Amino acid sequence: MESSGVKIVNGSNSPNVNNNNGSTTNSANGSGTLMATATPPPPPRPRPTPPLPPQRSQHKLETKGYVGIDTLQEQIRKKVIKRGFEFNIIVVGRSGLGKSTLVNTLFKANVRNHNGVQVVTSGKLSEQVTKPRTTEIRTTTHVIEEKGVQLRLTITDTPGFGDQIDNSNCWLPVLDYVNDQYEKYLDEEQSINRKKHIPDSRVHCCLYFIEPTGHSLKPLDIECMRRLDKCVNIVPVIAKADTLTVEERIAFKKRIQLDMQENGIRVYPNNEIDENPEEIINNNKIKELIPFAVVGSEDQFPSNGRSVLGRKTQWGLVEVENKMHCEFADLRDMLIRTHMQDLVEVTSLLHYENFRHDRLQSNHFNGQNIDIASMNESNI
């Protein structure tokens, strides 16, 4: 039956009645008596989208005269030079590979002190040195000045691998040291009364010394480098490369590169941080040289009317800074002359940020685990 646009259905099996406007009425009994139900609330209106901020147009503006903006570079240079620079290196590898000697050769100074006796020979001051083995982690800090630029250099020497009967987990002291420096920097950063300039003791570069076996990386070296590459910039070097022929050295480097690739070992320079095309080209050239085949020496010998650092053998003189003899000059140029500041920035922006993220995510403050979700103004 239809009446006034309302359809009524009698019977107990048809309780619902539909109106023309889509609403539903219920029948209390089969007699067709209508009971209106409440109309559902209208859906909420969508919130208006906030207007986008006005786009600022940028265009190059040419000044009508000299303003002095170009002096900003000189202002920054003076401020940075007055404060000085900081660079921290850790040397890692087996005993007897000349780690301390190479560091002295890099900076042309006795930055790793040896116990010895000074003697005068032929009017020159020479040194008879007894070089003890490093049995514990030792840190030495020097301030080197060159042409008015001061560099605070920190060298950390580590015990050699392979000296113990059981060498499992022998990399833990190195990892603990690196992470301790991050922890100290993070604590200083979070301090209420922190210093204006936080002393940077974070390790910027790890020189990893590889034994010149001529075969491939040893399992101990692979395990250690796999753990170190996650927290520090690794620069692998082949120590005492003058013990290999040129052909052996080339083949050895290729096998090491293959071992690092197969085991997922990431060495510096890496592509974690955005780089411009020029930096990518330069870094690719450096990657082709890795690992650097180097020779270290603190002794000087005459060669072609000049004095050079080298190693005297029965077959001749191995010149340390001669690129035809070894790749020490390439390593020095990368560490000091082209990529020192980049090593510092990668440490800060990549490795330290990863450590900071993991530490704060674990809610670890001052050695105590704190549930941040339960913290409120009353108990802070």
Side-chain angles (χ1 to χ4, degrees):
M1 152 180 186
E2 296 182 1
S3 174
S4 304
V6 178
K7 183 178 179 181
I8 302 175
V9 181
N10 294 327
S12 59
N13 294 331
S14 302
N16 296 330
V17 178
N18 295 329
N19 297 331
N20 287 342
N21 58 4
S23 62
T24 303
T25 58
N26 296 332
S27 175
N29 47 39
S31 61
T33 304
L34 298 179
M35 296 181 65
T37 59
T39 304
R45 294 182 180 178
R47 293 184 179 180
T49 304
L52 296 175
Q55 298 293 332
R56 297 181 179 180
S57 59
Q58 296 182 359
H59 60 278
K60 187 176 181 181
L61 180 64
E62 295 184 0
T63 60
K64 297 180 180 180
Y66 180 73
V67 177
I69 301 175
D70 59 342
T71 62
L72 285 174
Q73 183 177 358
E74 183 65 17
Q75 296 175 38
I76 295 174
R77 190 188 71 85
K78 288 182 179 179
K79 197 168 185 178
V80 171
I81 289 179
K82 183 178 180 181
R83 186 176 62 193
F85 301 88
E86 295 172 315
F87 191 60
N88 307 320
I89 296 180
I90 188 170
V91 290
V92 181
R94 292 177 176 267
S95 299
L97 295 181
K99 299 189 291 292
S100 302
T101 301
L102 182 67
V103 171
N104 289 341
T105 311
L106 274 173
F107 295 95
K108 294 185 178 181
N110 192 17
V111 295
R112 286 297 298 123
N113 295 323
H114 300 305
N115 297 326
V117 180
Q118 292 183 345
V119 295
V120 176
T121 305
S122 302
K124 294 183 179 180
L125 185 65
S126 63
E127 193 177 43
Q128 294 179 347
V129 180
T130 302
K131 299 180 181 178
R133 285 193 174 187
T134 304
T135 57
E136 60 183 5
I137 294 180
R138 294 186 300 179
T139 299
T140 306
T141 301
H142 299 274
V143 176
I144 303 176
E145 185 172 351
E146 184 179 45
K147 295 183 179 180
V149 179
Q150 287 189 350
L151 174 67
R152 182 180 176 87
L153 177 67
T154 300
I155 307 295
T156 302
D157 203 353
T158 60
F161 294 154
D163 296 343
Q164 295 81 19
I165 297 176
D166 183 8
N167 293 305
S168 58
N169 298 329
C170 61
W171 51 80
L172 288 181
V174 181
L175 284 175
D176 291 341
Y177 176 83
V178 173
N179 289 325
D180 285 346
Q181 307 314 307
Y182 290 148
E183 189 74 49
K184 288 165 59 177
Y185 194 89
L186 180 61
D187 291 342
E188 187 65 33
E189 240 185 6
Q190 294 178 333
S191 176
I192 297 177
N193 299 319
R194 64 181 181 181
K195 301 176 182 177
K196 183 178 180 181
H197 175 67
I198 302 176
D200 190 1
S201 62
R202 298 170 296 182
V203 179
H204 303 134
C205 177
C206 171
L207 286 179
Y208 193 92
F209 286 70
I210 300 172
E211 190 175 0
T213 60
H215 302 293
S216 59
L217 283 177
K218 294 187 176 181
L220 186 60
D221 294 327
I222 293 175
E223 291 299 321
C224 182
M225 294 174 70
R226 284 177 57 189
R227 287 161 174 80
L228 286 176
D229 69 349
K230 297 176 178 59
C231 61
V232 69
N233 299 314
I234 296 180
V235 178
V237 297
I238 301 174
K240 298 184 177 179
D242 55 330
T243 59
L244 302 172
T245 64
V246 176
E247 293 77 11
E248 290 174 342
R249 188 175 71 186
I250 295 174
F252 188 35
K253 291 181 66 171
K254 289 183 178 179
R255 283 192 288 268
I256 292 176
Q257 292 173 353
L258 182 61
D259 287 341
M260 292 190 297
Q261 183 178 359
E262 290 178 348
N263 291 278
I265 298 173
R266 298 177 300 175
V267 297
Y268 181 86
N270 51 47
N271 296 323
E272 295 286 342
I273 299 179
D274 295 335
E275 300 171 322
N276 58 49
E278 183 179 355
E279 289 179 346
I280 293 176
I281 295 174
N282 294 334
N283 290 343
N284 288 336
K285 292 180 181 179
I286 294 175
K287 289 178 181 179
E288 294 176 358
L289 297 173
I290 289 176
F292 295 94
V294 298
V295 176
S297 176
E298 301 175 64
D299 301 325
Q300 294 191 356
F301 299 91
S303 177
N304 298 327
R306 58 192 180 92
S307 182
V308 297
L309 292 171
R311 288 168 59 92
K312 190 75 172 179
T313 66
Q314 295 179 354
W315 302 274
L317 177 64
V318 180
E319 297 181 16
V320 170
E321 297 179 305
N322 190 336
K323 293 186 178 182
M324 299 295 294
H325 295 179
C326 69
E327 296 168 346
F328 171 83
D330 297 310
L331 173 66
R332 179 201 57 201
D333 291 346
M334 187 204 73
L335 287 180
I336 302 175
R337 301 181 181 180
T338 61
H339 284 70
M340 177 180 285
Q341 184 60 28
D342 187 66
L343 283 163
V344 176
E345 291 180 358
V346 171
T347 299
S348 178
L349 299 177
L350 178 64
H351 299 297
Y352 172 69
E353 283 300 319
N354 291 339
F355 174 86
R356 180 177 176 273
H357 176 269
D358 294 340
R359 175 64 73 229
L360 297 182
Q361 192 175 39
S362 64
N363 305 335
H364 184 83
F365 297 93
N366 298 326
Q368 297 179 356
N369 290 325
I370 302 176
D371 185 8
I372 293 182
S374 64
M375 296 174 63
N376 51 45
E377 295 182 358
S378 63
N379 55 21
I380 289 181

